[in-house]
Amino acid sequence: MSRDGFGSKLGIIAAAAGSAVGLGNIYRFPCELGNNGGGAFLLVYLLIVLCLGVPVMLSEFVIGRRTQKNPIGAFKALRPKSAWPLLGYMGVACALVIMAFYSTVAGWTLEYTVKAIGNQFQGKDIETMEQEFVAFHNIGWKNILWQGIFIFLTGFVVFKGVANGIEKYSKVLMPLLVLILLVLAVRSVTLPGGTDGLTFLFKPDFSKITGSVLISALGQAFFSLSMGMGVLITYGSYIKKEDNMTTTALSVTLSDTLVAVLAGVVIFPAAFSFGIQPTAGMGLVFNTLPMIFNQMAGGYYFCVIFFVLLAVAALTSTISLLEVIVAYLVEEVHLTRRWSTVLASVACLAVGVFASLSLKDGSGIAIGGKSFFDCLDFLSSNILLPLGALMIVLFVGWILGKTAFFEEITNGGKLKLSIKGVIYFIIKFVAPLAIAVIFITGLL
Ligand code: PHE
């Protein structure tokens, strides 16, 4: 049976960017930035993306395209009878961990879409918005229902297969999301007091850079670029032999970073203007955005479209996460695609239910004082993704080696790539060292 491939060059860029751009950019990035000192976090984040983004992404693409397999099969093919396939298993586990809490927030985008359609934000002040947000978390069944619907939607698209499932949705809608964010950014920075938000975002206070800020920025960068757990190995396996993977990696990294910074420019000026603390976390996005729409001509329509697009952005990311688990079940466990999708979806929901419920007041679903939701988030971004990325660059730099790497990124010598030496140097020495140092500083 031949594997699906992406129909066009734009197809793989759209799909990889669809995976990268999601709640990580619009929801998680502002949360992390707000909790980690603002401008200082942005600076560290951008430096990490600039130095490590393309090299790590390319490492994953190379492993995927060379083997045409899922992460576990890929390592089995490249280094049979070694411990490397464990890295693939870690990726599949990580996909499950991320899906479990990501689908909680994805579910909220549906709830907020419905609220937006019902014009339920109109005329509300920020206190009311905040109270309603908390009240919503306390209705456990509603969170779980939306989460279940979201996972079902994801499963539906994944079941339909890679090429026609993913490509179709992300090509048109993501540029539209960027457009709306641009309009929102203009409104946000022109709100009274909005410039304070820009100062918070762009003016680094170097004294704020600590070990925990470094690891949070590293984790956020990997999370946002979908790196370190096999999504890009899986997608790389669908890249055609004649595609230029380096420009693909560059476009994906650039667009993802652009959307994150743009989300910051939308959120922080408005948050400062409405008196919302930058450390407000989850409420930052869900409470601030409707307040901006309330201040805009045609705000009702923008609000509805925005939440729909946010849900779509989340969907193209959850598709990629579920695809990792499904590709593993199909190719390694030899289940049918239908049963693999059902099994993967049920597993994600089974863990995800606890993530959703853990946000209820006094739910007690917590480990060491951290809600289960936060634990899953922390485990994936600050531990599994950095570890995964570290092992992936070590594998490409030291095991797979220079010849194979160059052969793959130049399409067997057909592409002239003057920076290939620099990229390889980063993969072999700089990236492992940087990730290891930040990881260890973060643990101290
Ligand atoms: N990158 C996605 C986002 O920013 C989340 C994600 C992480 C998707 C890891 C796949 C793998 O929303």
Side-chain angles (χ1 to χ4, degrees):
M1 195 175 71
S2 81
R3 300 184 91 219
D4 265 343
F6 284 99
S8 62
K9 168 87 193 218
L10 188 62
I12 172 68
I13 295 186
S19 168
V21 175
L23 298 170
N25 308 60
I26 293 165
Y27 160 81
R28 198 175 189 280
F29 177 77
C31 286
E32 291 291 300
L33 189 131
N35 281 320
N36 287 288
F41 178 89
L42 180 66
L43 187 77
V44 178
Y45 178 82
L46 290 177
L47 271 175
I48 291 174
V49 169
L50 193 76
C51 302
L52 303 186
V54 173
V56 177
M57 192 175 286
L58 264 180
S59 301
E60 290 203 33
F61 280 166
V62 162
I63 296 172
R65 191 175 69 172
R66 198 161 178 84
T67 56
Q68 306 275 300
K69 286 191 159 59
N70 68 79
I72 296 168
F75 287 110
K76 277 190 188 161
L78 291 170
R79 282 295 174 274
K81 302 208 174 33
S82 72
W84 285 103
L86 287 179
L87 190 50
Y89 287 104
M90 188 168 104
V92 174
C94 187
L96 182 76
V97 170
I98 296 180
M99 258 313 261
F101 74 91
Y102 198 91
S103 56
T104 300
V105 186
W108 302 345
T109 64
L110 298 180
E111 163 84 3
Y112 273 65
T113 303
V114 172
K115 281 192 184 208
I117 294 172
N119 204 7
Q120 287 186 34
F121 304 126
Q122 178 143 54
K124 288 198 172 140
D125 57 15
I126 188 68
E127 282 78 32
T128 321
M129 287 295 302
E130 281 170 344
Q131 280 160 11
E132 289 186 0
F133 188 61
V134 174
F136 168 55
H137 291 159
N138 283 329
I139 315 175
W141 66 267
K142 213 173 184 184
N143 285 263
I144 293 170
L145 182 69
W146 285 128
Q147 180 178 33
I149 293 177
F150 206 94
I151 294 179
F152 177 82
L153 283 175
T154 309
F156 181 76
V157 181
V158 167
F159 176 62
K160 284 180 67 184
V162 179
N164 45 19
I166 304 172
E167 219 173 305
K168 215 165 49 194
Y169 298 93
S170 36
K171 260 192 233 171
V172 203
L173 296 173
M174 289 308 102
L176 204 61
L177 179 67
V178 173
L179 207 69
I180 296 220
L181 282 174
L182 278 173
V183 175
L184 273 169
V186 172
R187 176 67 275 217
S188 183
V189 293
T190 50
L191 287 167
T195 43
D196 290 348
L198 288 182
T199 312
F200 177 76
L201 178 61
F202 289 116
K203 196 155 174 258
D205 171 355
F206 292 98
S207 68
K208 294 250 166 71
I209 302 180
T210 60
S212 98
V213 169
L214 290 179
I215 182 80
S216 301
L218 184 78
Q220 174 59 27
F222 290 158
F223 186 88
S224 193
L225 293 169
S226 307
M227 296 190 316
M229 42 77 66
V231 158
L232 300 172
I233 296 182
T234 308
Y235 276 20
S237 72
Y238 301 119
I239 299 181
K240 295 219 176 87
K241 287 291 174 202
E242 59 275 10
D243 282 347
N244 184 339
M245 291 193 284
T246 312
T247 49
T248 303
L250 207 63
S251 328
V252 174
T253 307
L254 269 179
S255 25
D256 185 73
T257 308
L258 189 88
V259 177
V261 175
L262 201 55
V265 175
V266 171
I267 300 293
F268 288 104
F272 275 74
S273 174
F274 297 123
I276 304 171
Q277 291 301 318
T279 48
M282 296 170 171
L284 199 55
V285 172
F286 283 90
N287 296 327
T288 309
L289 283 168
M291 298 296 292
I292 313 179
F293 291 117
N294 278 342
Q295 308 271 333
M296 277 169 69
Y300 171 81
Y301 298 99
F302 276 112
C303 188
V304 174
I305 299 172
F306 177 82
F307 278 112
V308 170
L309 291 179
L310 187 60
V312 174
L315 186 64
T316 52
S317 301
T318 51
I319 289 167
S320 70
L321 287 161
L322 200 68
E323 179 64 35
V324 169
I325 312 177
V326 170
Y328 155 68
L329 291 174
V330 171
E331 291 169 18
E332 302 299 313
V333 189
H334 305 294
L335 297 180
T336 61
R337 194 163 178 91
R338 176 187 299 262
W339 280 109
S340 303
T341 312
V342 171
L343 196 67
S345 307
V346 169
C348 293
L349 186 62
V351 184
V353 162
F354 294 100
S356 286
L357 290 180
S358 72
L359 297 175
K360 268 171 96 161
D361 281 337
S363 75
I365 310 177
I367 302 171
K370 246 186 173 98
S371 71
F372 186 57
F373 179 103
D374 285 337
C375 289
L376 294 177
D377 181 310
F378 184 87
L379 173 66
S380 54
S381 297
N382 292 23
I383 298 177
L384 294 177
L385 295 182
L387 268 183
L390 174 65
M391 299 311 286
I392 286 167
V393 285
L394 284 176
F395 182 83
V396 172
W398 296 87
I399 309 281
L400 191 66
K402 195 169 178 168
T403 318
F405 180 73
F406 282 174
E407 188 180 290
E408 206 54 56
I409 60 169
T410 60
N411 295 349
K414 286 197 205 72
L415 300 173
K416 289 276 154 283
L417 210 66
S418 50
I419 53 163
K420 62 178 190 290
V422 180
I423 297 180
Y424 184 70
F425 181 79
I426 295 180
I427 292 175
K428 187 159 183 167
F429 300 106
V430 182
L433 209 67
I435 298 172
V437 167
I438 295 179
F439 191 66
I440 293 166
T441 346
L443 287 182
L444 296 180

